[in-house]
Short mmCIF file of all heavy atoms in Angstrom, two decimals:
data_model
loop_
_atom_site.label_atom_id
_atom_site.label_comp_id
_atom_site.label_asym_id
_atom_site.label_seq_id
_atom_site.Cartn_x
_atom_site.Cartn_y
_atom_site.Cartn_z
N GLU A 1 15.67 8.04 0.15
CA GLU A 1 15.03 8.64 -1.02
C GLU A 1 15.61 8.06 -2.29
O GLU A 1 14.90 7.96 -3.33
CB GLU A 1 15.13 10.14 -1.05
CG GLU A 1 14.29 10.81 0.07
CD GLU A 1 14.40 12.29 0.04
OE1 GLU A 1 15.45 12.78 0.62
OE2 GLU A 1 13.51 12.93 -0.50
N TRP A 2 16.94 7.79 -2.27
CA TRP A 2 17.55 7.26 -3.42
C TRP A 2 17.02 5.85 -3.74
O TRP A 2 16.81 5.45 -4.90
CB TRP A 2 19.05 7.19 -3.27
CG TRP A 2 19.66 8.55 -3.10
CD1 TRP A 2 19.85 9.24 -1.96
CD2 TRP A 2 20.05 9.44 -4.16
NE1 TRP A 2 20.38 10.46 -2.22
CE2 TRP A 2 20.48 10.63 -3.52
CE3 TRP A 2 20.02 9.33 -5.55
CZ2 TRP A 2 20.96 11.72 -4.32
CZ3 TRP A 2 20.49 10.44 -6.27
CH2 TRP A 2 20.94 11.60 -5.66
N MET A 3 16.87 5.07 -2.69
CA MET A 3 16.31 3.70 -2.88
C MET A 3 14.89 3.75 -3.35
O MET A 3 14.48 2.99 -4.28
CB MET A 3 16.37 2.95 -1.53
CG MET A 3 15.90 1.52 -1.62
SD MET A 3 14.10 1.18 -1.57
CE MET A 3 13.59 2.01 -0.11
N ILE A 4 14.09 4.73 -2.88
CA ILE A 4 12.72 4.94 -3.37
C ILE A 4 12.70 5.23 -4.82
O ILE A 4 11.90 4.69 -5.62
CB ILE A 4 11.94 5.88 -2.46
CG1 ILE A 4 11.77 5.40 -1.07
CG2 ILE A 4 10.60 6.30 -3.16
CD1 ILE A 4 11.25 6.42 -0.08
N LEU A 5 13.53 6.20 -5.25
CA LEU A 5 13.58 6.59 -6.67
C LEU A 5 14.01 5.38 -7.48
O LEU A 5 13.46 5.11 -8.55
CB LEU A 5 14.49 7.75 -6.88
CG LEU A 5 14.72 8.20 -8.33
CD1 LEU A 5 13.38 8.46 -9.03
CD2 LEU A 5 15.68 9.40 -8.42
N ASP A 6 14.99 4.62 -7.05
CA ASP A 6 15.44 3.41 -7.78
C ASP A 6 14.32 2.48 -7.95
O ASP A 6 14.12 1.88 -9.08
CB ASP A 6 16.64 2.84 -7.02
CG ASP A 6 17.24 1.72 -7.84
OD1 ASP A 6 17.75 1.93 -8.97
OD2 ASP A 6 17.28 0.54 -7.34
N GLU A 7 13.60 2.24 -6.88
CA GLU A 7 12.44 1.29 -6.94
C GLU A 7 11.36 1.84 -7.88
O GLU A 7 10.75 1.05 -8.64
CB GLU A 7 11.86 1.07 -5.58
CG GLU A 7 10.78 0.07 -5.44
CD GLU A 7 11.22 -1.37 -5.76
OE1 GLU A 7 12.39 -1.64 -5.73
OE2 GLU A 7 10.33 -2.20 -6.04
N ALA A 8 11.11 3.10 -7.86
CA ALA A 8 10.11 3.73 -8.74
C ALA A 8 10.50 3.57 -10.21
O ALA A 8 9.63 3.21 -11.05
CB ALA A 8 9.94 5.22 -8.42
N ILE A 9 11.77 3.72 -10.49
CA ILE A 9 12.24 3.54 -11.90
C ILE A 9 12.09 2.07 -12.29
O ILE A 9 11.62 1.76 -13.42
CB ILE A 9 13.74 3.99 -12.02
CG1 ILE A 9 13.78 5.50 -11.90
CG2 ILE A 9 14.30 3.54 -13.36
CD1 ILE A 9 15.21 6.12 -11.78
N TYR A 10 12.42 1.14 -11.37
CA TYR A 10 12.24 -0.29 -11.64
C TYR A 10 10.83 -0.59 -11.94
O TYR A 10 10.51 -1.26 -12.97
CB TYR A 10 12.79 -1.10 -10.48
CG TYR A 10 12.49 -2.55 -10.62
CD1 TYR A 10 13.26 -3.38 -11.39
CD2 TYR A 10 11.37 -3.13 -9.97
CE1 TYR A 10 12.97 -4.75 -11.57
CE2 TYR A 10 11.07 -4.49 -10.07
CZ TYR A 10 11.89 -5.25 -10.89
OH TYR A 10 11.58 -6.60 -11.07
N LEU A 11 9.89 -0.08 -11.05
CA LEU A 11 8.44 -0.41 -11.30
C LEU A 11 7.96 0.20 -12.63
O LEU A 11 7.21 -0.40 -13.38
CB LEU A 11 7.65 0.12 -10.14
CG LEU A 11 7.86 -0.62 -8.78
CD1 LEU A 11 7.15 0.08 -7.68
CD2 LEU A 11 7.36 -2.08 -8.93
N PHE A 12 8.38 1.42 -12.91
CA PHE A 12 8.04 2.11 -14.14
C PHE A 12 8.47 1.29 -15.36
O PHE A 12 7.71 1.01 -16.30
CB PHE A 12 8.61 3.53 -14.16
CG PHE A 12 8.60 4.12 -15.56
CD1 PHE A 12 7.46 4.51 -16.16
CD2 PHE A 12 9.84 4.24 -16.27
CE1 PHE A 12 7.51 5.04 -17.43
CE2 PHE A 12 9.91 4.77 -17.56
CZ PHE A 12 8.71 5.16 -18.13
N ARG A 13 9.71 0.89 -15.35
CA ARG A 13 10.25 0.17 -16.49
C ARG A 13 9.69 -1.26 -16.64
O ARG A 13 9.66 -1.84 -17.71
CB ARG A 13 11.81 0.10 -16.42
CG ARG A 13 12.39 1.46 -16.68
CD ARG A 13 13.92 1.37 -16.71
NE ARG A 13 14.44 2.63 -17.20
CZ ARG A 13 15.73 3.00 -17.07
NH1 ARG A 13 16.55 2.15 -16.43
NH2 ARG A 13 16.14 4.13 -17.56
N ASN A 14 9.23 -1.79 -15.53
CA ASN A 14 8.64 -3.14 -15.57
C ASN A 14 7.16 -3.12 -15.92
O ASN A 14 6.50 -4.13 -16.10
CB ASN A 14 8.78 -3.77 -14.16
CG ASN A 14 9.43 -5.14 -14.18
OD1 ASN A 14 10.06 -5.47 -15.15
ND2 ASN A 14 9.22 -5.86 -13.13
N GLY A 15 6.58 -1.90 -16.04
CA GLY A 15 5.17 -1.74 -16.34
C GLY A 15 4.27 -2.05 -15.20
O GLY A 15 3.10 -2.33 -15.37
N ASP A 16 4.79 -1.99 -13.98
CA ASP A 16 4.06 -2.26 -12.78
C ASP A 16 3.43 -1.03 -12.11
O ASP A 16 3.08 -1.04 -10.92
CB ASP A 16 4.89 -3.01 -11.74
CG ASP A 16 5.34 -4.37 -12.26
OD1 ASP A 16 4.59 -4.99 -13.01
OD2 ASP A 16 6.47 -4.81 -11.92
N GLY A 17 3.37 0.05 -12.84
CA GLY A 17 2.87 1.25 -12.20
C GLY A 17 3.96 2.10 -11.60
O GLY A 17 5.14 1.94 -12.01
N GLY A 18 3.58 2.92 -10.73
CA GLY A 18 4.60 3.83 -10.15
C GLY A 18 4.66 3.78 -8.68
O GLY A 18 4.18 2.84 -8.03
N LEU A 19 5.38 4.74 -8.11
CA LEU A 19 5.63 4.73 -6.68
C LEU A 19 5.71 6.21 -6.28
O LEU A 19 6.38 6.96 -6.89
CB LEU A 19 6.95 4.02 -6.37
CG LEU A 19 7.34 3.79 -4.89
CD1 LEU A 19 6.29 2.90 -4.22
CD2 LEU A 19 8.72 3.17 -4.78
N GLU A 20 4.87 6.55 -5.26
CA GLU A 20 4.93 7.96 -4.80
C GLU A 20 6.34 8.30 -4.35
O GLU A 20 7.03 7.40 -3.75
CB GLU A 20 3.97 8.10 -3.59
CG GLU A 20 2.53 8.05 -3.95
CD GLU A 20 2.00 9.37 -4.55
OE1 GLU A 20 2.73 10.38 -4.50
OE2 GLU A 20 0.90 9.35 -5.03
N PRO A 21 6.84 9.50 -4.56
CA PRO A 21 6.22 10.59 -5.24
C PRO A 21 6.57 10.66 -6.77
O PRO A 21 6.53 11.72 -7.34
CB PRO A 21 6.76 11.80 -4.50
CG PRO A 21 8.17 11.34 -4.18
CD PRO A 21 8.05 9.86 -3.97
N TYR A 22 6.97 9.53 -7.35
CA TYR A 22 7.48 9.51 -8.74
C TYR A 22 6.51 8.86 -9.72
O TYR A 22 6.91 8.07 -10.54
CB TYR A 22 8.81 8.83 -8.72
CG TYR A 22 9.80 9.43 -7.78
CD1 TYR A 22 10.18 8.77 -6.61
CD2 TYR A 22 10.36 10.65 -8.08
CE1 TYR A 22 11.09 9.34 -5.73
CE2 TYR A 22 11.32 11.24 -7.20
CZ TYR A 22 11.65 10.55 -6.06
OH TYR A 22 12.54 11.15 -5.21
N LEU A 23 5.25 9.18 -9.54
CA LEU A 23 4.25 8.56 -10.44
C LEU A 23 4.27 9.05 -11.85
O LEU A 23 3.73 8.40 -12.78
CB LEU A 23 2.80 8.79 -9.87
CG LEU A 23 2.56 8.14 -8.47
CD1 LEU A 23 1.18 8.57 -7.97
CD2 LEU A 23 2.69 6.65 -8.57
N ASP A 24 4.91 10.15 -12.15
CA ASP A 24 4.87 10.74 -13.46
C ASP A 24 6.20 10.48 -14.24
O ASP A 24 6.54 11.20 -15.17
CB ASP A 24 4.62 12.23 -13.39
CG ASP A 24 5.62 13.01 -12.55
OD1 ASP A 24 6.36 12.38 -11.85
OD2 ASP A 24 5.52 14.24 -12.58
N LEU A 25 7.00 9.44 -13.82
CA LEU A 25 8.24 9.17 -14.51
C LEU A 25 8.03 8.76 -15.97
O LEU A 25 7.05 8.11 -16.28
CB LEU A 25 8.97 8.03 -13.82
CG LEU A 25 9.74 8.30 -12.52
CD1 LEU A 25 10.31 6.98 -12.04
CD2 LEU A 25 10.80 9.32 -12.74
N THR A 26 8.95 9.24 -16.77
CA THR A 26 9.10 8.81 -18.17
C THR A 26 10.57 8.58 -18.40
O THR A 26 11.38 9.03 -17.59
CB THR A 26 8.53 9.81 -19.18
OG1 THR A 26 9.37 10.98 -19.21
CG2 THR A 26 7.11 10.19 -18.90
N GLU A 27 10.94 7.91 -19.47
CA GLU A 27 12.33 7.70 -19.81
C GLU A 27 13.07 9.08 -19.90
O GLU A 27 14.21 9.23 -19.48
CB GLU A 27 12.56 6.92 -21.06
CG GLU A 27 12.31 5.46 -20.89
CD GLU A 27 13.22 4.69 -19.89
OE1 GLU A 27 14.40 5.12 -19.79
OE2 GLU A 27 12.76 3.80 -19.24
N GLU A 28 12.36 10.03 -20.43
CA GLU A 28 12.94 11.38 -20.63
C GLU A 28 13.12 12.09 -19.34
O GLU A 28 14.05 12.93 -19.20
CB GLU A 28 12.06 12.20 -21.56
CG GLU A 28 12.00 11.77 -22.97
CD GLU A 28 11.09 10.48 -23.20
OE1 GLU A 28 10.14 10.36 -22.38
OE2 GLU A 28 11.31 9.68 -24.06
N THR A 29 12.31 11.87 -18.32
CA THR A 29 12.39 12.59 -17.09
C THR A 29 13.26 11.94 -16.03
O THR A 29 13.58 12.55 -15.04
CB THR A 29 11.02 12.85 -16.46
OG1 THR A 29 10.38 11.63 -16.14
CG2 THR A 29 10.13 13.64 -17.41
N ILE A 30 13.62 10.70 -16.26
CA ILE A 30 14.48 9.97 -15.26
C ILE A 30 15.76 10.74 -14.93
O ILE A 30 16.05 11.02 -13.77
CB ILE A 30 14.76 8.57 -15.68
CG1 ILE A 30 13.44 7.72 -15.52
CG2 ILE A 30 15.83 7.92 -14.83
CD1 ILE A 30 13.51 6.33 -16.04
N PRO A 31 16.58 11.16 -15.96
CA PRO A 31 17.82 11.88 -15.62
C PRO A 31 17.51 13.19 -14.83
O PRO A 31 18.22 13.49 -13.86
CB PRO A 31 18.45 12.19 -16.99
CG PRO A 31 17.94 11.12 -17.83
CD PRO A 31 16.51 10.90 -17.35
N SER A 32 16.51 13.97 -15.27
CA SER A 32 16.28 15.20 -14.54
C SER A 32 15.75 14.97 -13.10
O SER A 32 16.00 15.77 -12.19
CB SER A 32 15.27 16.13 -15.36
OG SER A 32 14.04 15.47 -15.49
N THR A 33 14.97 13.89 -12.96
CA THR A 33 14.55 13.56 -11.60
C THR A 33 15.67 13.20 -10.68
O THR A 33 15.73 13.62 -9.55
CB THR A 33 13.51 12.37 -11.67
OG1 THR A 33 12.43 12.75 -12.54
CG2 THR A 33 12.95 12.04 -10.32
N ILE A 34 16.65 12.52 -11.25
CA ILE A 34 17.87 12.19 -10.45
C ILE A 34 18.63 13.45 -10.13
O ILE A 34 19.12 13.64 -9.02
CB ILE A 34 18.73 11.18 -11.21
CG1 ILE A 34 18.02 9.85 -11.31
CG2 ILE A 34 20.09 10.98 -10.50
CD1 ILE A 34 18.69 8.84 -12.29
N TYR A 35 18.76 14.34 -11.07
CA TYR A 35 19.48 15.61 -10.82
C TYR A 35 18.74 16.44 -9.75
O TYR A 35 19.33 17.05 -8.88
CB TYR A 35 19.58 16.48 -12.10
CG TYR A 35 20.72 15.99 -12.99
CD1 TYR A 35 20.49 15.60 -14.35
CD2 TYR A 35 22.05 15.96 -12.52
CE1 TYR A 35 21.51 15.20 -15.17
CE2 TYR A 35 23.07 15.57 -13.36
CZ TYR A 35 22.81 15.19 -14.69
OH TYR A 35 23.84 14.79 -15.50
N THR A 36 17.40 16.46 -9.82
CA THR A 36 16.61 17.14 -8.84
C THR A 36 16.83 16.59 -7.41
O THR A 36 17.09 17.33 -6.46
CB THR A 36 15.11 17.16 -9.18
OG1 THR A 36 14.92 17.79 -10.42
CG2 THR A 36 14.27 17.82 -8.13
N LEU A 37 16.81 15.25 -7.31
CA LEU A 37 17.04 14.62 -6.01
C LEU A 37 18.50 14.92 -5.57
O LEU A 37 18.75 15.18 -4.39
CB LEU A 37 16.82 13.13 -6.16
CG LEU A 37 17.07 12.33 -4.80
CD1 LEU A 37 16.22 12.85 -3.68
CD2 LEU A 37 16.79 10.85 -5.09
N THR A 38 19.41 14.96 -6.46
CA THR A 38 20.82 15.30 -6.13
C THR A 38 20.89 16.67 -5.55
O THR A 38 21.56 16.87 -4.54
CB THR A 38 21.69 15.21 -7.41
OG1 THR A 38 21.66 13.86 -7.96
CG2 THR A 38 23.15 15.60 -7.13
N GLN A 39 20.30 17.68 -6.21
CA GLN A 39 20.33 19.04 -5.70
C GLN A 39 19.68 19.14 -4.32
O GLN A 39 20.25 19.76 -3.44
CB GLN A 39 19.63 19.98 -6.68
CG GLN A 39 20.33 20.11 -8.04
CD GLN A 39 21.75 20.55 -7.91
OE1 GLN A 39 22.13 21.42 -7.10
NE2 GLN A 39 22.65 19.96 -8.70
N GLN A 40 18.61 18.50 -4.11
CA GLN A 40 17.91 18.49 -2.79
C GLN A 40 18.80 17.86 -1.76
O GLN A 40 18.93 18.35 -0.62
CB GLN A 40 16.62 17.74 -2.82
CG GLN A 40 15.58 18.44 -3.71
CD GLN A 40 14.36 17.59 -4.02
OE1 GLN A 40 14.33 16.39 -3.70
NE2 GLN A 40 13.33 18.14 -4.62
N PHE A 41 19.51 16.72 -2.15
CA PHE A 41 20.34 16.06 -1.19
C PHE A 41 21.52 16.92 -0.76
O PHE A 41 21.90 16.97 0.38
CB PHE A 41 20.85 14.69 -1.86
CG PHE A 41 21.71 13.89 -0.96
CD1 PHE A 41 21.16 12.98 -0.06
CD2 PHE A 41 23.06 13.96 -1.03
CE1 PHE A 41 21.98 12.22 0.77
CE2 PHE A 41 23.92 13.18 -0.23
CZ PHE A 41 23.33 12.30 0.69
N LEU A 42 22.14 17.59 -1.76
CA LEU A 42 23.28 18.45 -1.46
C LEU A 42 22.91 19.66 -0.62
O LEU A 42 23.73 20.13 0.18
CB LEU A 42 23.96 18.89 -2.81
CG LEU A 42 24.69 17.76 -3.54
CD1 LEU A 42 25.13 18.28 -4.89
CD2 LEU A 42 25.90 17.26 -2.70
N VAL A 43 21.69 20.15 -0.76
CA VAL A 43 21.27 21.23 0.08
C VAL A 43 21.09 20.77 1.53
O VAL A 43 21.53 21.45 2.49
CB VAL A 43 19.95 21.86 -0.38
CG1 VAL A 43 19.29 22.78 0.59
CG2 VAL A 43 20.18 22.63 -1.76
N ARG A 44 20.45 19.59 1.65
CA ARG A 44 20.24 19.08 3.01
C ARG A 44 21.54 18.51 3.69
O ARG A 44 21.63 18.49 4.89
CB ARG A 44 19.20 17.94 2.94
CG ARG A 44 17.83 18.42 2.80
CD ARG A 44 16.78 17.33 3.06
NE ARG A 44 16.94 16.08 2.27
CZ ARG A 44 16.50 15.85 1.13
NH1 ARG A 44 15.74 16.72 0.49
NH2 ARG A 44 16.74 14.71 0.49
N HIS A 45 22.45 18.00 2.86
CA HIS A 45 23.65 17.40 3.39
C HIS A 45 24.87 17.96 2.63
O HIS A 45 25.50 17.29 1.80
CB HIS A 45 23.61 15.87 3.17
CG HIS A 45 22.36 15.27 3.66
ND1 HIS A 45 22.11 15.03 5.00
CD2 HIS A 45 21.30 14.80 2.97
CE1 HIS A 45 20.95 14.47 5.16
NE2 HIS A 45 20.43 14.30 3.94
N PRO A 46 25.20 19.28 2.94
CA PRO A 46 26.30 19.87 2.19
C PRO A 46 27.61 19.17 2.48
O PRO A 46 27.88 18.65 3.58
CB PRO A 46 26.32 21.29 2.74
CG PRO A 46 25.52 21.30 4.00
CD PRO A 46 24.64 20.13 3.92
N ILE A 47 28.48 19.16 1.43
CA ILE A 47 29.77 18.54 1.53
C ILE A 47 30.83 19.61 1.87
O ILE A 47 30.94 20.55 1.13
CB ILE A 47 30.17 17.88 0.21
CG1 ILE A 47 29.12 16.77 -0.14
CG2 ILE A 47 31.52 17.24 0.25
CD1 ILE A 47 29.20 16.25 -1.52
#
């Protein structure tokens, strides 16, 4: 999922469209999207 988000950000910044499930990315939402993925990851894989 981290690689997919990274690729989605790359495509967004390159102007090449988006990538599911991150079609609504903006520069402002990138940090919060990463935080959301982080929280989901920590719930699924507790340390």
Side-chain angles (χ1 to χ4, degrees):
E1 289 179 281
W2 296 93
M3 184 279 305
I4 292 169
L5 177 55
D6 187 61
E7 184 68 16
I9 292 170
Y10 172 80
L11 291 172
F12 161 71
R13 288 184 170 165
N14 232 20
D16 295 329
L19 186 63
E20 289 281 351
Y22 304 108
L23 295 175
D24 59 350
L25 282 177
T26 67
E27 284 299 325
E28 293 77 27
T29 63
I30 289 173
S32 64
T33 303
I34 294 170
Y35 281 122
T36 299
L37 181 56
T38 300
Q39 294 303 320
Q40 293 169 352
F41 183 83
L42 289 172
V43 167
R44 285 192 309 269
H45 309 286
I47 300 169

